[in-house]
Amino acid sequence: MGGLMILIAMTVSTLLWADLTNAYIWIVLLVTIGYGLIGFGDDYLKLTKRNTKGLSGRFRLGWEIAIGLVASALIMWVSAPPLSGGVAVPFVKDFLIQLSWFFVPFGAFIMVGASNSVNLTDGLDGLAIVPTMIAAGCFGLISYLSGNAIFANYLQIHHVPGSGELTIFCGALVGAGLGFLWYNAPPAMVFMGDTGSLSLGGALGAVSVVTKHEIVLAIIGGLFVLETVSVIVQVASFKLTGKRVFRMAPLHHHFEKKGWAEPTVVIRFWIIASILALVGLSTLKLR
């Protein structure tokens, strides 16, 4: 439940420094705190009731979807057309895929997917927090550029008025993550649990939906995508053929089974996350 410290630190920092008249700040905080509370309930049951399963999967997923749908609807309501129901495509200038009201379930899917992807990655000391901070740093920059009409026009990305204030939120996330990493560095003294992983993933998903960089999140957060895909492939392969593709899923456990030391897996995954983040940021200019 060490994620509670991250959640409190970044929430308090955001409330102190952000413009609280900005609707996007409250929407992103809604997702972050909401997902954090779901994770807290899960962790609490595991710790106090000695229940290794925690909350039921349906209950947890149901509330994640509900919060995601509400947040997506609010983002659509706050954003001005044509941004309100549109999805931007990397490398394509001045183009939006108009989803209309289908944008609401799409946005919820991004938030729920990002949340659970970070949750799956959180399996080794320091493994999840550094890629999360890297992604948050990238989206802090993206938020600032998207919220500034001059920079957005120069980079030919979609200008989202008001999104620049999310730079403060992303900065708070990075700062809280650094504080947590001090105690989570191998060998870890504190673990984030579902309280941290669900809230952090949800936060990244919400920021990407606001800034119209949902697809870029899949690149910058590519490590989380790889971890999730490894689980999907493993489960599908075992159910269909009775055989496992990986020695163990998620992916980081596969390399542990191959004999890699835990710090080796963690640092190499950090390197992969850094490379993917650079590739994702390159999409801002390569349009």
Side-chain angles (χ1 to χ4, degrees):
M1 295 173 69
L4 194 60
M5 296 189 297
I6 304 174
L7 194 58
I8 292 172
M10 66 180 181
T11 300
V12 171
S13 298
T14 301
L15 293 176
L16 284 173
W17 296 105
D19 178 6
L20 299 184
T21 63
N22 187 297
Y24 292 132
I25 289 291
W26 291 107
I27 295 171
V28 172
L29 281 177
L30 164 70
V31 176
T32 305
I33 296 172
Y35 281 26
L37 289 175
I38 295 171
F40 179 83
D42 199 51
D43 289 336
Y44 183 79
L45 286 178
K46 291 176 182 177
L47 288 172
T48 61
K49 305 298 182 182
R50 302 300 177 185
N51 179 2
T52 56
K53 294 183 179 180
L55 296 173
S56 70
R58 289 185 178 181
F59 180 87
R60 196 172 86 166
L61 186 61
W63 276 105
E64 288 174 6
I65 293 173
I67 293 171
L69 289 172
V70 170
S72 297
L74 289 173
I75 291 170
M76 189 175 180
W77 179 60
V78 171
S79 304
L83 294 175
S84 56
V87 175
V89 180
F91 307 113
V92 181
K93 302 176 183 179
D94 301 323
F95 178 73
L96 285 170
I97 301 174
Q98 289 298 332
L99 299 181
S100 185
W101 283 103
F102 286 106
F103 176 82
V104 175
F106 172 78
F109 171 77
I110 296 296
M111 296 176 206
V112 173
S115 177
N116 286 282
S117 294
V118 175
N119 183 245
L120 287 172
T121 306
D122 182 33
L124 300 176
D125 297 347
L127 178 59
I129 191 62
V130 171
T132 300
M133 288 191 296
I134 292 171
C138 291
F139 271 94
L141 176 61
I142 290 171
S143 299
Y144 180 77
L145 296 174
S146 298
N148 187 295
I150 297 174
F151 289 136
N153 181 63
Y154 172 72
L155 293 170
Q156 296 181 326
I157 60 177
H158 295 282
H159 172 50
V160 184
S163 64
E165 202 65 22
L166 292 177
T167 303
I168 293 173
F169 174 82
C170 292
L173 196 161
V174 173
L178 284 171
F180 173 77
L181 181 61
W182 184 268
Y183 298 98
N184 188 240
M189 294 178 284
V190 178
F191 304 92
M192 72 167 68
D194 289 355
T195 308
S197 58
L198 291 179
S199 61
L200 293 176
L204 292 176
V207 173
S208 73
V209 173
V210 170
T211 57
K212 299 300 170 187
H213 281 75
E214 301 94 339
I215 299 175
V216 173
L217 175 62
I219 303 173
I220 292 176
L223 178 65
F224 304 131
V225 175
L226 289 173
E227 294 273 41
T228 304
V229 170
S230 72
V231 174
I232 295 171
V233 170
Q234 185 84 324
V235 172
S237 175
F238 187 75
K239 286 188 174 182
L240 293 173
T241 67
K243 297 180 180 179
R244 292 179 172 85
V245 176
F246 306 101
R247 294 187 181 183
M248 188 175 178
L251 191 60
H252 55 266
H253 290 313
H254 169 76
F255 290 105
E256 275 192 300
K257 293 291 185 181
K258 290 189 69 174
W260 290 18
E262 181 175 328
T264 302
V265 177
V266 170
I267 293 173
R268 286 178 177 173
F269 274 45
W270 288 354
I271 294 170
I272 293 171
S274 301
I275 294 170
L276 291 171
L278 291 173
V279 173
L281 285 177
S282 70
T283 65
L284 297 179
K285 184 57 181 171
L286 300 177
R287 289 172 177 255

